[in-house]
Amino acid sequence: MSKIILAIESSCDETSIAILKDDELIANVTSTQIAIHQKYGGVMPEIASRLHVENIGIVLKEALDTAKINLEDVSAIAVTSGPGLIGSLHVGLQCAKTIALAYHKPLIPVHHLSGHIYANEFVKPLKFPLLAIVVSGGNTELVVMKKHLDFKIIGETTDDAIGEAFDKVARVVGLPYPGGVSIDRLAKQGKPRYHLPRPLDDHSYQYSYSGLKTAVINLCHQLKQKNEPVIVEDLACSFQKTAIDLLLDKALPAVDEFNIKQVVLAGGVSANSYLREQIVSRLSDRKDVEVVIPPLWCTTDNAAMIAKVGSYLYEQNIFAPLTLSANPSWKLEDFRRF
Ligand code: KG4
């Protein structure tokens, strides 16, 4: 009998439902709220939860219609139960719990960041020991995996996430949300002419992106005071180069330290073209290390990646009771505790 995982993702501003039949993705429907949050320059949590409520039924129907199945056919319901915005998480969770209760299906709690890592399985099977460079609007983490569902965080940001820094820098120079996309596009036309600091530039796996963001803000103020124009393309290029070079300079020594066989990118910032190009070129002479980059459709939040993890958790009978709550600050290493 086929294993059919129906997965729900609603941790931030995307309402997404996917259906994975054995290894085949037979539906992945996502409704994004970006256009609405753009007006506010960032995600408004209360609006996000209300829109999830409006959209989730429609997304569910479309996913079932696309997959041509009924809820009775499903083996289990996987759902992102953290981390993320509490109100947003609750909508997906209530939907999942309702289906699980009404159709007597097991409920699988999935950690959002594990989903971003497993998104790479849509390209290639994960190979261990693996280094995942997890970079999103809320996280900057280096994760080592020795086997499936075994996550060890070897380093993380001590303040802002790298995506948050992209978004804030973009806002300062008047670029639209999500800032990473705008900066990436403009950086291609610029030169790295502005000198920016490299906070926490040591041999640890810890990061600090708040200082870099502040340096950009200060630079803009100084130029304004001197009546000098900010060359936005050059600023975008300088910031992006500093942020990504720092990320990789500090992450890649882990390849030798942990005898890594595969390096994967994960999270929204993994869409960054300079990061994608740099990771490949920096590891090009390492024939012993495979680099996997998630497809662009899988860098933003989606339920397909949640279904992938859900499928592994299903094999290990990792199910949650219907009393499961959303955990907005769930640590990846605690993913078995819910
Ligand atoms: O993973 P994600 O969709 O949401 C979180 O869970 O945080 O990541 C969103 C983040 C935003 O900060 C956005 O600016 C950033 O990913 N991002 C990018 C690019 N595309 C999205 N950052 C740099 N370059 C990009 N091309």
Side-chain angles (χ1 to χ4, degrees), residues 29 37 102 106-107 109 166 174 190 195 282:
V29 179
H37 297 293
L107 181 68
F166 268 90
H195 179 75
R282 287 180 187 223

Side-chain angles (χ1 to χ4, degrees), residues 74-141:
V74 167
S75 315
I77 315 294
V79 60
T80 304
S81 53
L85 300 171
I86 180 106
S88 291
L89 287 166
H90 266 301
V91 180
L93 201 60
Q94 288 313 320
C95 177
K97 284 162 53 164
T98 306
I99 300 171
L101 177 69
Y103 291 86
H104 306 286
K105 303 292 178 188
L107 181 68
I108 305 174
V110 178
H111 191 287
H112 180 74
L113 294 184
S114 69
H116 276 302
I117 296 173
Y118 274 81
N120 287 285
E121 284 233 316
F122 288 108
V123 185
K124 272 190 182 155
L126 299 187
K127 203 157 93 184
F128 308 104
L130 169 153
L131 171 69
I133 301 178
V134 184
V135 278
S136 72
N139 300 274
T140 307
E141 283 179 9

Side-chain angles (χ1 to χ4, degrees), residues 38-273:
Q38 257 168 356
K39 286 184 230 157
Y40 307 96
V43 178
M44 298 296 282
E46 178 58 28
I47 295 177
S49 4
R50 283 165 192 249
L51 290 172
H52 283 307
V53 173
E54 277 179 27
N55 293 334
I56 201 153
I58 302 165
V59 172
L60 176 61
K61 179 164 188 327
E62 198 178 320
L64 292 169
D65 289 350
T66 308
K68 298 188 177 60
I69 62 159
N70 298 311
L71 286 169
E72 288 86 0
D73 306 326
V74 167
S75 315
I77 315 294
V79 60
T80 304
S81 53
L85 300 171
I86 180 106
S88 291
L89 287 166
H90 266 301
V91 180
L93 201 60
Q94 288 313 320
C95 177
K97 284 162 53 164
T98 306
I99 300 171
L101 177 69
Y103 291 86
H104 306 286
K105 303 292 178 188
L107 181 68
I108 305 174
V110 178
H111 191 287
H112 180 74
L113 294 184
S114 69
H116 276 302
I117 296 173
Y118 274 81
N120 287 285
E121 284 233 316
F122 288 108
V123 185
K124 272 190 182 155
L126 299 187
K127 203 157 93 184
F128 308 104
L130 169 153
L131 171 69
I133 301 178
V134 184
V135 278
S136 72
N139 300 274
T140 307
E141 283 179 9
L142 300 179
V143 180
V144 169
M145 293 175 69
K146 290 199 174 140
K147 56 182 190 287
H148 276 296
L149 302 178
D150 172 63
F151 306 101
K152 183 173 179 339
I153 299 170
I154 58 160
E156 60 194 324
T157 182
T158 51
D159 41 53
D160 287 358
I162 184 168
E164 200 177 339
F166 268 90
D167 292 338
K168 286 184 180 158
V169 165
R171 200 178 324 170
V172 169
V173 293
L175 299 172
Y177 175 84
V181 179
S182 320
I183 293 206
D184 190 357
R185 202 183 53 240
L186 276 186
K188 292 195 178 98
Q189 302 152 31
K191 293 192 177 60
R193 74 151 70 200
Y194 297 110
H195 179 75
L196 295 169
R198 290 170 44 105
L200 222 62
D201 190 6
D202 56 17
H203 293 294
S204 76
Y205 294 121
Q206 300 297 96
Y207 292 94
S208 164
Y209 280 104
S210 141
L212 179 57
K213 169 200 73 188
T214 310
V216 173
I217 296 172
N218 289 344
L219 176 68
C220 290
H221 287 160
Q222 283 158 12
L223 291 171
K224 204 172 163 192
Q225 273 167 359
K226 288 194 259 174
N227 262 335
E228 284 178 31
V230 175
I231 302 167
V232 181
E233 292 81 354
D234 291 351
L235 188 63
C237 181
S238 311
F239 165 75
Q240 175 175 278
K241 184 167 166 33
T242 309
I244 302 292
D245 284 350
L246 190 63
L247 177 75
L248 294 181
D249 289 349
K250 297 195 71 174
L252 293 183
V255 169
D256 284 330
E257 184 176 343
F258 295 93
N259 194 22
I260 296 297
K261 294 283 166 278
Q262 191 181 62
V263 178
V264 307
L265 295 181
V269 181
S270 69
N272 185 268
S273 53

